[in-house]
Amino acid sequence: MSILDAIPVVAEFSACDSHSTEQWCTGLHSGNIGDVIYSLPTCQMLGVNHVILNVCADPAFGGRVLTEQAAKALAPLLLAQKFIRRVSIIKSGVPWEYADPAQLGVDYILDSFRSSFTNPRLHLLYAHGVPFNLMVDGAKPWIALGSDVDQTPAKTQPYIVVGLTSRYRRYDHAYYEYLFRNVPPERVFFVGIGHDQIERRNIGGTAFQTKSFLDLARLLKNASLFIGNPSFAYALAEGLKLNRIVEVPEENNVYPLDGSGSLLHMLAPEAVRAKIFNALQLEDCSSASAPTLLTGYTLANMQHAQLYFDTGSGFNETESTPKPVFRGPNRYTFDGFSDGASVRCLRFDPVNDHVIARINSIKLSGKAGEASLSAIPSNALCVNDGQYCFANDDPQYSIDVPEQFRNGIEQIVIDMEVIAIGAEEVARALYPRQIESLVAGQRRLDADKNAMAIANRRLLTGQGQLTAERDGLMASRDHLLTERNHLSAERDRLTAERDRLTAERDRLTAERDQLAAQRVASDERWNALLKSRSWRMTAPFRWLSRRRT
């Protein structure tokens, strides 16, 4: 029986010219979606034309997850590969790498590399081929996009795609903030799920969203450069052999397989920036020559500080100036104040998130001269040494402006050091020991979950073996029952034959006894005749009669 008959099918996809009469060669995969991409060369070499995606969540093996939404988004991309004609999505909730393909009614279990004890550092592309004794060629592209019209937005200028997830990292956010400093945000597209978008922090750009991974692959295909860490997006970039730079941790099983890709940690930051600007066909300009004002569209995609000035209408978005914020010490210059406006007071929001910051100085310059201003936090907790912790996403400082400087303000320069941005970083900075304890507890919990998952897989394997043994015993029982019925029928036939022969024997015996009695009676009559007087008196006549004849 096929697994498609035992487990409900969530969705079914097929090529437009596919027919039910085709001979299917099935391959079962339980994710992750990046692993499915790395399995495609193996599928092609095995002749797999029907891919079964198994929706499940397995906390072991690095938290493998294949969701129903991701599987459905992946189906159009799989069907774009000409050798795949059908995609089925099932939802069993458990992986099947330890099962026997014959018991599941499939030709190949593509997750088998997880149970084959291959080198954990072997690239996932090669690992998929190991259980089937295949040598896969990873140096050539293996992803096709089909001949459909490109549905991604038209890009008239070179752009780069960035994919940063929370896993498999080597560098922190500050490193990427440096790499993308002064890069035009309209030339940057972020890919990944919503949770991944947090990882871009202070980098300007646009989040690319789509319901089909085929559109994502087309976006990558037309990109001048991909930068990111191991993820589904990077698997696509690798399969397309896109110009790419990948960040890999010290231990990982994904890396560039040919010369078109580079390892991030093997390049100096300046070299990476040069690659970024060369890909965009731009000159790398310094921060001094960069525009001082960013559009609201750009700032909506990155964290920023904002200076509000009250001219009598209270604090509002119209009378404010935003600036992108970076970690560490920096000077933020605000200008563009309206001529003739009287600024009663200022409000400074250091960032639009949880933050620990210290304002070293605030310098005001205008028609009345220069002045040093002081800032008072409105909703913060004092940490130490002038650092203030804001445990909310709307931190604020109040800044009083002396009366003689309220008219004709030209520029305000705020020297500020940002120690931590984001709830997680702030919590780690405030409560390092507690966070470490929680992290250690979480790791123990994850280890327990992994142990339970492994035990569960072993139980499933044992259950499969017991089921196979049970099926074998039931088959043997059925065979013995059939043989017993056959012998019973033969016994009944022989018993009937015996009864018939017994009846025949009894009849013949009775007939024999009757004939024997008749013979005895005849002998007695004959002897009586021979002994009779008449027989003796007629003896001379019988003698004469014989003489005459």
Side-chain angles (χ1 to χ4, degrees):
M1 181 176 64
S2 171
I3 193 173
L4 295 175
D5 300 323
I7 298 175
V9 176
V10 175
E12 189 87 20
F13 302 86
S14 61
C16 59
D17 57 346
S18 179
H19 302 286
S20 59
T21 57
E22 292 190 51
Q23 294 296 321
W24 299 117
C25 179
T26 54
L28 174 67
H29 208 303
S30 300
N32 292 325
I33 52 176
D35 298 343
V36 177
I37 297 301
Y38 289 123
S39 73
L40 291 180
T42 296
C43 290
Q44 187 169 16
M45 294 182 70
L46 293 174
V48 172
N49 59 0
H50 178 197
V51 176
I52 301 176
L53 298 177
N54 175 34
V55 175
C56 72
D58 182 13
F61 301 108
R64 173 176 42 169
V65 174
L66 178 60
T67 65
E68 180 179 339
Q69 180 181 3
K72 291 180 178 178
L74 184 59
L77 178 60
L78 294 180
L79 292 176
Q81 317 313 305
K82 294 303 182 182
F83 63 92
I84 296 179
R85 316 299 296 157
R86 180 182 175 191
V87 177
S88 300
I89 302 175
I90 63 174
K91 190 173 184 179
S92 73
V94 295
W96 295 96
E97 58 262 25
Y98 288 93
D100 182 2
Q103 293 180 356
L104 300 182
V106 299
D107 296 291
Y108 303 101
I109 297 179
L110 301 172
D111 308 279
S112 297
F113 73 96
R114 299 185 184 275
S115 60
S116 60
F117 304 103
T118 57
N119 182 357
R121 302 280 74 83
L122 182 66
H123 196 288
L124 285 172
L125 182 85
Y126 301 133
H128 276 86
V130 169
F132 313 108
N133 297 319
L134 298 178
M135 180 57 70
V136 182
D137 184 5
K140 62 181 181 181
W142 69 80
I143 294 180
L145 302 184
S147 57
D148 295 341
V149 178
D150 189 350
Q151 299 180 12
T152 58
K155 309 297 186 305
T156 59
Q157 294 180 314
Y159 62 91
I160 62 177
V161 175
V162 181
L164 295 175
T165 69
S166 58
R167 299 195 305 163
Y168 310 129
R169 299 297 297 272
R170 181 186 290 258
Y171 295 105
D172 59 10
H173 303 298
Y175 179 81
Y176 282 96
E177 291 170 10
Y178 170 75
L179 293 182
F180 286 91
R181 184 171 295 180
N182 303 326
V183 174
E186 65 274 10
R187 301 284 197 93
V188 179
F189 290 88
F190 288 92
V191 295
I193 60 177
H195 176 72
D196 298 334
Q197 299 303 318
I198 301 174
E199 299 302 317
R200 59 191 174 106
R201 297 296 176 93
N202 296 329
I203 307 172
T206 302
F208 179 81
Q209 296 179 347
T210 178
K211 294 183 179 180
S212 170
F213 290 146
L214 180 58
D215 291 340
L216 174 60
R218 287 169 176 157
L219 177 78
L220 287 164
K221 179 68 174 179
N222 296 323
S224 300
L225 178 67
F226 172 86
I227 297 180
N229 62 311
S231 61
F232 171 67
Y234 172 70
L236 291 178
E238 184 68 42
L240 293 167
K241 295 307 175 188
L242 177 68
N243 179 23
R244 62 202 179 279
I245 305 175
V246 57
E247 170 195 356
V248 295
E250 294 182 0
E251 295 183 357
N252 197 38
N253 52 3
V254 170
Y255 39 82
L257 296 172
D258 71 329
S260 61
S262 304
L263 292 170
L264 188 64
H265 67 275
M266 298 297 291
L267 300 172
E270 292 74 15
V272 179
R273 282 181 58 83
K275 284 180 173 290
I276 292 174
F277 282 90
N278 287 338
L280 296 177
Q281 301 177 10
L282 296 174
E283 293 291 335
D284 184 4
C285 56
S286 64
S287 58
S289 60
T292 58
L293 294 178
L294 296 179
T295 63
Y297 170 78
T298 301
L299 289 174
N301 288 281
M302 62 190 304
Q303 291 171 322
H304 57 276
Q306 198 156 3
L307 181 66
Y308 295 85
F309 38 96
D310 181 9
T311 60
S313 302
F315 296 120
N316 57 81
E317 294 293 329
T318 303
E319 295 181 321
S320 68
T321 304
K323 291 287 180 179
V325 172
F326 303 96
R327 287 173 183 77
N330 286 281
R331 289 187 175 182
Y332 302 91
T333 301
F334 299 90
D335 50 18
F337 295 95
S338 301
D339 293 337
S342 176
V343 178
R344 298 181 179 183
C345 59
L346 301 170
R347 192 190 88 189
F348 178 62
D349 295 359
V351 72
N352 53 332
D353 200 348
H354 296 65
V355 68
I356 297 179
R358 176 176 54 233
I359 294 183
N360 299 318
S361 65
I362 302 177
K363 301 292 186 181
L364 180 151
S365 59
K367 295 180 179 180
E370 296 183 355
S372 295
L373 307 180
S374 59
I376 301 175
S378 302
N379 53 355
L381 301 174
C382 182
V383 180
N384 57 27
D385 193 24
Q387 296 179 5
Y388 286 90
C389 169
F390 295 86
N392 58 79
D393 56 4
D394 189 22
Q396 299 177 9
Y397 285 94
S398 297
I399 304 174
D400 289 330
V401 180
E403 186 174 354
Q404 64 270 29
F405 293 99
R406 291 179 179 178
N407 294 316
I409 297 177
E410 297 175 352
Q411 188 179 77
I412 294 178
V413 179
I414 299 178
D415 187 334
M416 178 178 64
E417 180 179 1
V418 176
I419 293 88
I421 299 179
E424 182 178 346
E425 288 187 8
V426 170
R428 287 183 179 276
L430 290 176
Y431 312 105
R433 293 183 180 179
Q434 293 86 339
I435 295 298
E436 290 178 3
S437 177
L438 289 174
V439 170
Q442 184 63 40
R443 289 175 179 172
R444 289 193 296 269
L445 181 60
D446 292 341
D448 292 340
K449 288 183 179 179
N450 292 342
M452 291 179 64
I454 293 173
N456 185 44
R457 286 198 307 276
R458 290 176 178 173
L459 288 174
L460 289 174
T461 302
Q463 181 183 2
Q465 294 174 349
L466 291 175
T467 300
E469 292 178 5
R470 182 201 64 187
D471 294 342
L473 291 174
M474 291 178 65
S476 299
R477 183 200 65 184
D478 294 341
H479 175 73
L480 291 174
L481 287 173
T482 302
E483 188 174 354
R484 185 199 67 179
N485 295 336
H486 174 73
L487 292 175
S488 296
E490 183 67 13
R491 181 199 63 190
D492 295 340
R493 187 187 67 80
L494 292 174
T495 299
E497 181 68 15
R498 182 200 65 186
D499 294 341
R500 186 186 66 79
L501 291 175
T502 300
E504 181 69 14
R505 181 199 65 187
D506 294 342
R507 185 185 65 78
L508 292 175
T509 300
E511 186 177 350
R512 181 201 67 186
D513 294 342
Q514 182 182 6
L515 290 174
Q518 291 176 356
R519 187 191 68 181
V520 171
S522 178
D523 290 344
E524 289 177 351
R525 289 193 300 271
W526 175 254
N527 290 334
L529 179 61
L530 291 178
K531 293 178 181 180
S532 66
R533 183 177 178 181
S534 61
W535 182 266
R536 290 194 301 271
M537 289 180 64
T538 59
F541 295 105
R542 291 193 298 274
W543 180 81
L544 288 175
S545 177
R546 288 194 297 270
R547 292 278 297 182
R548 288 177 181 175
T549 60

